Amino acid sequence: AQRVTQPEKLLSVFKGAPVELKCNYSYSGSPELFWYVQYSRQRLQLLLRHISRESIKGFTADLNKGETSFHLKKPFAQEEDSAMYYCALSGFRNTGTASKLTFGTGTRLQVTL
Amino acid sequence: EPEVTQTPSHQVTQMGQEVILRCVPISNHLYFYWYRQILGQKVEFLVSFYNNEISEKSEIFDDQFSVERPDGSNFTLKIRSTKLEDSAMYFCASSERRQGNQPQHFGDGTRLSIL
């Protein structure tokens, strides 16, 4: 079974403060982890995937298989980062099969002045 | 940038009626998905579709639900006899056919309200 846990429903930080959105997962196989973001009244957008190991909008996330975590971090929060953030997991698939995403419950990030 | 489009944005239906939610995936994508999000809850997988057949479905996707790709562009979700608990946001997503898990691209969603 696949499970994703985001323990915080709301994270409120001041502008310029560091941000860490927590995500833990449970999966017996080899997982792929993603972070999706949903800005107010907009669609779910892919922010990061662990396999890319890149930084988008200053956000990074490292897959820690030992701790089964994929926390999202940003050193200095900006007002425009305020949004709903969803961690999601997918099992590895070969070409020819579609693989579902299992989402966490999401964390609302609120960046205040 | 190409997008997944969903229509209608909001659908209000009487309980027991049939409803069809429509999606146009990104044109070169071959994997298609439906998810739903009940208000205040997380996004849940309903069904995935590839090569004109269902790849996987969740326990939510019972006999009342069906999916179809009636032509080369549309991907539909039909609920035969709606129930109050079907009220939710329904998201369509699509991804490319390549090795590994290509990111899923989501539409804006259809808000389904059952009265």
Side-chain angles (χ1 to χ4, degrees), chain B residues 44-74:
Chain B
E44 301 173 289
F45 168 76
L46 290 178
V47 65
S48 58
F49 191 87
Y50 169 70
N51 201 24
N52 282 319
E53 60 183 26
I54 290 174
S55 294
E56 186 178 0
K57 57 184 180 180
S58 71
E59 57 194 26
I60 302 168
F61 194 89
D62 61 23
D63 292 343
Q64 293 299 311
F65 291 87
S66 62
V67 289
E68 195 177 33
R69 188 154 163 82
D71 53 43
S73 60
N74 290 284

Side-chain angles (χ1 to χ4, degrees), chain A residues 91-98, chain B residues 31 98-101:
Chain A
F92 178 79
R93 66 163 165 81
N94 293 313
T95 310
T97 59
Chain B
Y31 297 111
R98 278 195 281 153
Q99 184 68 25
N101 283 324

